[in-house]
Amino acid sequence: MTSPKPPKLVSLADVSKSTGKMLSRGAFSELDTGASPTLSELTEALHFALGDGRIWLNDQRMVLMQSQVLGRLRQEIIDAFGMEAAKGIFMRVGYMQGVRDAELILKRFPYQDLTHALAAGPRVHTLEGFVKVETKQFEFDSDKGRYFGEFYWYDSSEAGEHIAHHGLASEPVCWMQTGYPSGYTSTLFGRPVIFREIECSGMGASRCYVVGQNAEEWGEDAPERAYLGLEWPRSRRTARSRSKKAQRGDDRASANPAPTTGGDPVVGVSASFLRARLMVEKVADTEATVLLVGESGVGKELFSQQLHRLSHRATKPFVALNCAAIPDTLVESELFGVEKGAFTGAVASRPGYFERAAGGTLFLDEIASLAYAAQGKLLRAIQERVIERVGGSKTVAADVRVIAASNVDLADEVRAGRFRQDLYFRLCVFPISIPPLRERRDDIPLLVDHFLRLFRERHRRQVVGLTRRAMDALLAYDFPGNIRELQNLIERGVIFAEPGGFIDLQHIFTANEPLPSSHPSLTREGRLIYGQPSLSQAAITPDFLQSSSHIRSAELDLYRQALNAHRGNVSAAARSLGISRAKLEYRLRKNGIYDKD
């Protein structure tokens, strides 16, 4: 396993600069008791999509796995690769888990300063069930690039599994758990920070004692640098080696580019999506005719464009034709072209879609709507690779790769007598099924980020992002219109939301869309409850209330309820309402129900 590439460690600083609330120094001792985000607030991010096979921590998919199974996997890796290699593997796994959780905190609590964000790490780690973390102390100075922290770990699952297989150890064994705070803190702090166990319950201690500090403070003897990919080049030879690794990484990145407005529009990480994409890559460099099957709005044309880009025809035209948009009487002339004088009004010769796509790719969308008579002529064009213009007397070579798409089952259409069987078999050389969005919910967060970037730029609206309940609703929504509908919802939200604010439910679901049913979340006692708000409830936000003088009392009640729910913590109350702390404080002062002094 190769070492991970250290993350770009600037996210929190970027957020803090935009809010003006960055503290360059801080310490755990300076936090108020019960400082946000609390464990209770973090549990609100955990949702179980019962019956759907998914568990979500904010917009990240999680998996429940028995600790004993993870312990057995650990043992298998130790047996296969040895203790030292297994240590590096599990540290890297923990490191990447910490990186992802740091990103979660930045996204869910974007107004937190560094002290609060660092304090949240132990709570997230505790929430995920690996170990109970108690913060002894930490302090940092971001101007000087210094961090130091001490923590106690109780009931370490990793230590317990190691003892079960090997007995008491002679050195610390909580490898994945020490990788976790290294990744989490390094991501937030902006410099490599390494955590190390000084005492470990796997060695017989009553609890684990963990210390984290800047990587360079551990001196030369710090194998964690290599385990976590934090080695610094100490010679030209090492630098060249790292440069080659970086180049290989760049090559991999270019082969699978990140979604941007001008890059690869086919975005996803779910298993069903990757299976479809793999099939596209498999057939792309051949001449085979491809049939894309899927519901309306799943992105069949985007997949066809991707197939064209990956083929050797990429430098030639990509021409798309919606067969449903052509009247039956014009299908033949549109596909094959017209010779001058072929019929009344044909005052000039005109090439058809086959000729326009010469040397390239012709995409025939909604192929099932093609007139039955035209299907026979299309079959001949594909099979013989020649066409004749309407009114013409000579054949024209048709060097075209055909990709067809249908949102209905063509086999059913054949049985119903509406589609030619011979054309169906000619098109169905290499069928690819594009999954609907409800079957690839793992891709929703990626697609939301992609569309947010796209529409922020297009409409010049700098919204921050989605509120928790808006994202929860999207993750639970069935999307009858698939990706096209998600795109419309995000565009609508970007337009409706206030500049610098968040997109909430009332900004998205404004066209009588069926709201997702309530879904379970965790109580303080760790039990599942159903509590997804309806649109009528969710729409009662401060921005909505502020626009109507007739419901001033409801506005004040909303503020009081939020403050009571968070025990007077204005920052936490503001987050629950989807507005900034400054905005809530201003409105509280204006209505005489808050006095900071």
Side-chain angles (χ1 to χ4, degrees), residues 215-245:
E216 61 268 23
E217 296 297 324
W218 290 108
E220 294 294 323
D221 186 20
E224 295 93 343
R225 293 173 181 160
Y227 294 150
L228 305 177
L230 302 177
E231 276 285 10
W232 295 289
R234 304 187 183 281
S235 68
R236 291 184 179 180
R237 180 177 179 181
T238 307
R240 285 196 299 269
S241 174
R242 289 177 59 82
S243 177
K244 289 179 181 178
K245 289 180 181 179

mmCIF file of all heavy atoms in Angstrom, residues 215-245:
data_model
loop_
_atom_site.group_PDB
_atom_site.id
_atom_site.type_symbol
_atom_site.label_atom_id
_atom_site.label_comp_id
_atom_site.label_asym_id
_atom_site.label_seq_id
_atom_site.Cartn_x
_atom_site.Cartn_y
_atom_site.Cartn_z
ATOM 1 N N ALA A 215 5.201 17.402 13.833
ATOM 2 C CA ALA A 215 5.974 16.239 13.397
ATOM 3 C C ALA A 215 7.456 16.400 13.694
ATOM 4 O O ALA A 215 8.125 15.454 14.140
ATOM 5 C CB ALA A 215 5.743 15.997 11.902
ATOM 6 N N GLU A 216 8.001 17.605 13.470
ATOM 7 C CA GLU A 216 9.436 17.800 13.659
ATOM 8 C C GLU A 216 9.851 17.708 15.119
ATOM 9 O O GLU A 216 11.022 17.467 15.435
ATOM 10 C CB GLU A 216 9.883 19.138 13.056
ATOM 11 C CG GLU A 216 9.228 20.361 13.663
ATOM 12 C CD GLU A 216 7.973 20.779 12.924
ATOM 13 O OE1 GLU A 216 7.372 19.917 12.242
ATOM 14 O OE2 GLU A 216 7.586 21.956 13.044
ATOM 15 N N GLU A 217 8.896 17.894 16.044
ATOM 16 C CA GLU A 217 9.226 17.834 17.473
ATOM 17 C C GLU A 217 9.553 16.424 17.933
ATOM 18 O O GLU A 217 10.141 16.241 19.004
ATOM 19 C CB GLU A 217 8.069 18.396 18.308
ATOM 20 C CG GLU A 217 7.782 19.866 18.092
ATOM 21 C CD GLU A 217 8.959 20.746 18.492
ATOM 22 O OE1 GLU A 217 9.642 20.403 19.474
ATOM 23 O OE2 GLU A 217 9.201 21.758 17.822
ATOM 24 N N TRP A 218 9.174 15.424 17.168
ATOM 25 C CA TRP A 218 9.472 14.046 17.552
ATOM 26 C C TRP A 218 10.908 13.655 17.192
ATOM 27 O O TRP A 218 11.353 12.559 17.531
ATOM 28 C CB TRP A 218 8.502 13.075 16.878
ATOM 29 C CG TRP A 218 7.100 13.173 17.406
ATOM 30 C CD1 TRP A 218 6.019 13.695 16.769
ATOM 31 C CD2 TRP A 218 6.626 12.746 18.688
ATOM 32 N NE1 TRP A 218 4.904 13.623 17.557
ATOM 33 C CE2 TRP A 218 5.250 13.031 18.756
ATOM 34 C CE3 TRP A 218 7.229 12.148 19.794
ATOM 35 C CZ2 TRP A 218 4.464 12.743 19.874
ATOM 36 C CZ3 TRP A 218 6.455 11.855 20.909
ATOM 37 C CH2 TRP A 218 5.091 12.157 20.943
ATOM 38 N N GLY A 219 11.609 14.532 16.493
ATOM 39 C CA GLY A 219 13.004 14.260 16.156
ATOM 40 C C GLY A 219 13.139 13.330 14.976
ATOM 41 O O GLY A 219 12.197 13.076 14.219
ATOM 42 N N GLU A 220 14.355 12.835 14.793
ATOM 43 C CA GLU A 220 14.655 11.990 13.638
ATOM 44 C C GLU A 220 13.987 10.626 13.714
ATOM 45 O O GLU A 220 13.632 10.040 12.698
ATOM 46 C CB GLU A 220 16.175 11.809 13.516
ATOM 47 C CG GLU A 220 16.928 13.090 13.192
ATOM 48 C CD GLU A 220 16.577 13.617 11.814
ATOM 49 O OE1 GLU A 220 16.377 12.797 10.898
ATOM 50 O OE2 GLU A 220 16.493 14.847 11.654
ATOM 51 N N ASP A 221 13.822 10.117 14.931
ATOM 52 C CA ASP A 221 13.285 8.775 15.105
ATOM 53 C C ASP A 221 11.762 8.836 15.191
ATOM 54 O O ASP A 221 11.168 8.717 16.263
ATOM 55 C CB ASP A 221 13.856 8.133 16.369
ATOM 56 C CG ASP A 221 13.434 6.670 16.504
ATOM 57 O OD1 ASP A 221 13.044 6.086 15.467
ATOM 58 O OD2 ASP A 221 13.495 6.142 17.626
ATOM 59 N N ALA A 222 11.136 9.053 14.054
ATOM 60 C CA ALA A 222 9.678 9.162 14.004
ATOM 61 C C ALA A 222 9.163 8.387 12.799
ATOM 62 O O ALA A 222 8.941 8.950 11.724
ATOM 63 C CB ALA A 222 9.247 10.625 13.929
ATOM 64 N N PRO A 223 8.991 7.058 12.929
ATOM 65 C CA PRO A 223 8.549 6.243 11.780
ATOM 66 C C PRO A 223 7.162 6.639 11.272
ATOM 67 O O PRO A 223 6.804 6.307 10.151
ATOM 68 C CB PRO A 223 8.545 4.813 12.346
ATOM 69 C CG PRO A 223 8.436 4.984 13.834
ATOM 70 C CD PRO A 223 9.172 6.243 14.152
ATOM 71 N N GLU A 224 6.393 7.359 12.105
ATOM 72 C CA GLU A 224 5.062 7.779 11.667
ATOM 73 C C GLU A 224 5.117 8.644 10.408
ATOM 74 O O GLU A 224 4.168 8.681 9.632
ATOM 75 C CB GLU A 224 4.348 8.550 12.783
ATOM 76 C CG GLU A 224 4.032 7.731 14.015
ATOM 77 C CD GLU A 224 5.135 7.829 15.060
ATOM 78 O OE1 GLU A 224 6.262 8.263 14.709
ATOM 79 O OE2 GLU A 224 4.873 7.492 16.226
ATOM 80 N N ARG A 225 6.241 9.355 10.227
ATOM 81 C CA ARG A 225 6.364 10.184 9.024
ATOM 82 C C ARG A 225 6.228 9.337 7.762
ATOM 83 O O ARG A 225 5.549 9.717 6.804
ATOM 84 C CB ARG A 225 7.711 10.887 9.015
ATOM 85 C CG ARG A 225 7.886 11.933 10.105
ATOM 86 C CD ARG A 225 9.316 12.427 10.085
ATOM 87 N NE ARG A 225 9.570 13.406 11.122
ATOM 88 C CZ ARG A 225 10.779 13.715 11.574
ATOM 89 N NH1 ARG A 225 11.836 13.095 11.067
ATOM 90 N NH2 ARG A 225 10.927 14.624 12.516
ATOM 91 N N ALA A 226 6.906 8.199 7.771
ATOM 92 C CA ALA A 226 6.837 7.316 6.609
ATOM 93 C C ALA A 226 5.482 6.629 6.519
ATOM 94 O O ALA A 226 4.902 6.503 5.435
ATOM 95 C CB ALA A 226 7.954 6.273 6.682
ATOM 96 N N TYR A 227 4.948 6.182 7.676
ATOM 97 C CA TYR A 227 3.655 5.516 7.683
ATOM 98 C C TYR A 227 2.561 6.406 7.085
ATOM 99 O O TYR A 227 1.695 5.947 6.350
ATOM 100 C CB TYR A 227 3.246 5.164 9.114
ATOM 101 C CG TYR A 227 4.105 4.128 9.810
ATOM 102 C CD1 TYR A 227 4.275 4.162 11.190
ATOM 103 C CD2 TYR A 227 4.736 3.111 9.094
ATOM 104 C CE1 TYR A 227 5.059 3.231 11.846
ATOM 105 C CE2 TYR A 227 5.525 2.171 9.737
ATOM 106 C CZ TYR A 227 5.680 2.232 11.116
ATOM 107 O OH TYR A 227 6.449 1.306 11.757
ATOM 108 N N LEU A 228 2.613 7.700 7.421
ATOM 109 C CA LEU A 228 1.525 8.616 7.065
ATOM 110 C C LEU A 228 1.827 9.465 5.841
ATOM 111 O O LEU A 228 1.073 10.374 5.512
ATOM 112 C CB LEU A 228 1.209 9.533 8.261
ATOM 113 C CG LEU A 228 0.873 8.810 9.575
ATOM 114 C CD1 LEU A 228 0.640 9.816 10.695
ATOM 115 C CD2 LEU A 228 -0.359 7.930 9.394
ATOM 116 N N GLY A 229 2.953 9.192 5.177
ATOM 117 C CA GLY A 229 3.275 9.968 3.997
ATOM 118 C C GLY A 229 3.735 11.364 4.305
ATOM 119 O O GLY A 229 3.568 12.276 3.492
ATOM 120 N N LEU A 230 4.336 11.574 5.489
ATOM 121 C CA LEU A 230 4.762 12.912 5.908
ATOM 122 C C LEU A 230 6.274 13.085 5.837
ATOM 123 O O LEU A 230 6.815 14.032 6.398
ATOM 124 C CB LEU A 230 4.297 13.183 7.344
ATOM 125 C CG LEU A 230 2.789 13.090 7.584
ATOM 126 C CD1 LEU A 230 2.467 13.315 9.047
ATOM 127 C CD2 LEU A 230 2.044 14.084 6.724
ATOM 128 N N GLU A 231 6.976 12.157 5.178
ATOM 129 C CA GLU A 231 8.424 12.289 5.059
ATOM 130 C C GLU A 231 8.790 13.539 4.265
ATOM 131 O O GLU A 231 8.137 13.885 3.282
ATOM 132 C CB GLU A 231 9.010 11.057 4.350
ATOM 133 C CG GLU A 231 9.274 9.883 5.268
ATOM 134 C CD GLU A 231 10.500 10.080 6.133
ATOM 135 O OE1 GLU A 231 11.035 11.190 6.163
ATOM 136 O OE2 GLU A 231 10.909 9.113 6.785
ATOM 137 N N TRP A 232 9.838 14.246 4.712
ATOM 138 C CA TRP A 232 10.338 15.401 3.973
ATOM 139 C C TRP A 232 11.587 15.004 3.198
ATOM 140 O O TRP A 232 12.407 14.219 3.677
ATOM 141 C CB TRP A 232 10.681 16.537 4.946
ATOM 142 C CG TRP A 232 9.476 17.034 5.633
ATOM 143 C CD1 TRP A 232 8.467 17.756 5.083
ATOM 144 C CD2 TRP A 232 9.118 16.817 6.999
ATOM 145 N NE1 TRP A 232 7.503 18.009 6.008
ATOM 146 C CE2 TRP A 232 7.872 17.448 7.198
ATOM 147 C CE3 TRP A 232 9.717 16.150 8.070
ATOM 148 C CZ2 TRP A 232 7.225 17.444 8.421
ATOM 149 C CZ3 TRP A 232 9.068 16.146 9.278
ATOM 150 C CH2 TRP A 232 7.838 16.784 9.459
ATOM 151 N N PRO A 233 11.766 15.514 1.950
ATOM 152 C CA PRO A 233 12.952 15.147 1.164
ATOM 153 C C PRO A 233 14.229 15.621 1.841
ATOM 154 O O PRO A 233 14.355 16.784 2.197
ATOM 155 C CB PRO A 233 12.726 15.870 -0.175
ATOM 156 C CG PRO A 233 11.749 16.952 0.130
ATOM 157 C CD PRO A 233 10.892 16.446 1.241
ATOM 158 N N ARG A 234 15.183 14.699 2.053
ATOM 159 C CA ARG A 234 16.438 15.042 2.731
ATOM 160 C C ARG A 234 17.626 14.924 1.783
ATOM 161 O O ARG A 234 18.753 15.086 2.175
ATOM 162 C CB ARG A 234 16.645 14.134 3.950
ATOM 163 C CG ARG A 234 15.472 14.212 4.914
ATOM 164 C CD ARG A 234 15.743 13.466 6.197
ATOM 165 N NE ARG A 234 14.585 13.493 7.072
ATOM 166 C CZ ARG A 234 14.247 14.519 7.830
ATOM 167 N NH1 ARG A 234 14.972 15.612 7.813
ATOM 168 N NH2 ARG A 234 13.195 14.467 8.601
ATOM 169 N N SER A 235 17.346 14.615 0.533
ATOM 170 C CA SER A 235 18.414 14.547 -0.458
ATOM 171 C C SER A 235 17.795 14.722 -1.832
ATOM 172 O O SER A 235 16.593 14.623 -2.003
ATOM 173 C CB SER A 235 19.141 13.190 -0.386
ATOM 174 O OG SER A 235 18.278 12.156 -0.819
ATOM 175 N N ARG A 236 18.634 14.974 -2.808
ATOM 176 C CA ARG A 236 18.117 15.120 -4.155
ATOM 177 C C ARG A 236 17.492 13.829 -4.644
ATOM 178 O O ARG A 236 16.491 13.826 -5.356
ATOM 179 C CB ARG A 236 19.243 15.547 -5.107
ATOM 180 C CG ARG A 236 19.733 16.961 -4.844
ATOM 181 C CD ARG A 236 20.774 17.350 -5.871
ATOM 182 N NE ARG A 236 21.237 18.719 -5.648
ATOM 183 C CZ ARG A 236 22.154 19.306 -6.406
ATOM 184 N NH1 ARG A 236 22.717 18.646 -7.407
ATOM 185 N NH2 ARG A 236 22.511 20.552 -6.144
ATOM 186 N N ARG A 237 18.091 12.737 -4.232
ATOM 187 C CA ARG A 237 17.562 11.439 -4.657
ATOM 188 C C ARG A 237 16.154 11.245 -4.095
ATOM 189 O O ARG A 237 15.241 10.814 -4.801
ATOM 190 C CB ARG A 237 18.480 10.317 -4.166
ATOM 191 C CG ARG A 237 17.992 8.928 -4.561
ATOM 192 C CD ARG A 237 18.978 7.869 -4.099
ATOM 193 N NE ARG A 237 18.524 6.548 -4.455
ATOM 194 C CZ ARG A 237 19.190 5.448 -4.157
ATOM 195 N NH1 ARG A 237 20.348 5.530 -3.510
ATOM 196 N NH2 ARG A 237 18.711 4.278 -4.509
ATOM 197 N N THR A 238 15.960 11.590 -2.796
ATOM 198 C CA THR A 238 14.649 11.466 -2.186
ATOM 199 C C THR A 238 13.667 12.409 -2.844
ATOM 200 O O THR A 238 12.510 12.073 -3.096
ATOM 201 C CB THR A 238 14.721 11.769 -0.675
ATOM 202 O OG1 THR A 238 15.733 10.952 -0.094
ATOM 203 C CG2 THR A 238 13.396 11.521 0.005
ATOM 204 N N ALA A 239 14.159 13.636 -3.131
ATOM 205 C CA ALA A 239 13.288 14.622 -3.761
ATOM 206 C C ALA A 239 12.836 14.143 -5.133
ATOM 207 O O ALA A 239 11.681 14.320 -5.515
ATOM 208 C CB ALA A 239 14.008 15.969 -3.879
ATOM 209 N N ARG A 240 13.785 13.529 -5.894
ATOM 210 C CA ARG A 240 13.413 13.023 -7.210
ATOM 211 C C ARG A 240 12.389 11.901 -7.092
ATOM 212 O O ARG A 240 11.463 11.800 -7.889
ATOM 213 C CB ARG A 240 14.661 12.521 -7.941
ATOM 214 C CG ARG A 240 15.552 13.628 -8.487
ATOM 215 C CD ARG A 240 16.527 13.060 -9.503
ATOM 216 N NE ARG A 240 17.401 12.064 -8.914
ATOM 217 C CZ ARG A 240 18.589 12.324 -8.375
ATOM 218 N NH1 ARG A 240 19.028 13.570 -8.323
ATOM 219 N NH2 ARG A 240 19.324 11.355 -7.870
ATOM 220 N N SER A 241 12.588 11.050 -6.066
ATOM 221 C CA SER A 241 11.644 9.953 -5.860
ATOM 222 C C SER A 241 10.248 10.467 -5.574
ATOM 223 O O SER A 241 9.262 10.003 -6.120
ATOM 224 C CB SER A 241 12.130 9.059 -4.707
ATOM 225 O OG SER A 241 11.169 8.072 -4.410
ATOM 226 N N ARG A 242 10.191 11.484 -4.697
ATOM 227 C CA ARG A 242 8.893 12.064 -4.361
ATOM 228 C C ARG A 242 8.284 12.761 -5.570
ATOM 229 O O ARG A 242 7.073 12.745 -5.772
ATOM 230 C CB ARG A 242 9.026 13.035 -3.188
ATOM 231 C CG ARG A 242 9.298 12.341 -1.857
ATOM 232 C CD ARG A 242 9.483 13.366 -0.748
ATOM 233 N NE ARG A 242 8.321 14.209 -0.608
ATOM 234 C CZ ARG A 242 7.223 13.865 0.074
ATOM 235 N NH1 ARG A 242 7.155 12.682 0.641
ATOM 236 N NH2 ARG A 242 6.212 14.699 0.176
ATOM 237 N N SER A 243 9.154 13.383 -6.386
ATOM 238 C CA SER A 243 8.655 14.067 -7.571
ATOM 239 C C SER A 243 8.014 13.079 -8.536
ATOM 240 O O SER A 243 6.978 13.346 -9.137
ATOM 241 C CB SER A 243 9.787 14.827 -8.263
ATOM 242 O OG SER A 243 9.342 15.433 -9.448
ATOM 243 N N LYS A 244 8.659 11.887 -8.682
ATOM 244 C CA LYS A 244 8.101 10.877 -9.565
ATOM 245 C C LYS A 244 6.769 10.368 -9.031
ATOM 246 O O LYS A 244 5.821 10.141 -9.778
ATOM 247 C CB LYS A 244 9.082 9.707 -9.704
ATOM 248 C CG LYS A 244 10.329 10.065 -10.511
ATOM 249 C CD LYS A 244 11.272 8.892 -10.592
ATOM 250 C CE LYS A 244 12.541 9.247 -11.389
ATOM 251 N NZ LYS A 244 13.482 8.115 -11.429
ATOM 252 N N LYS A 245 6.672 10.192 -7.704
ATOM 253 C CA LYS A 245 5.417 9.763 -7.111
ATOM 254 C C LYS A 245 4.330 10.806 -7.345
ATOM 255 O O LYS A 245 3.184 10.485 -7.652
ATOM 256 C CB LYS A 245 5.587 9.531 -5.602
ATOM 257 C CG LYS A 245 6.414 8.305 -5.259
ATOM 258 C CD LYS A 245 6.517 8.156 -3.762
ATOM 259 C CE LYS A 245 7.362 6.936 -3.381
ATOM 260 N NZ LYS A 245 7.480 6.806 -1.915
#
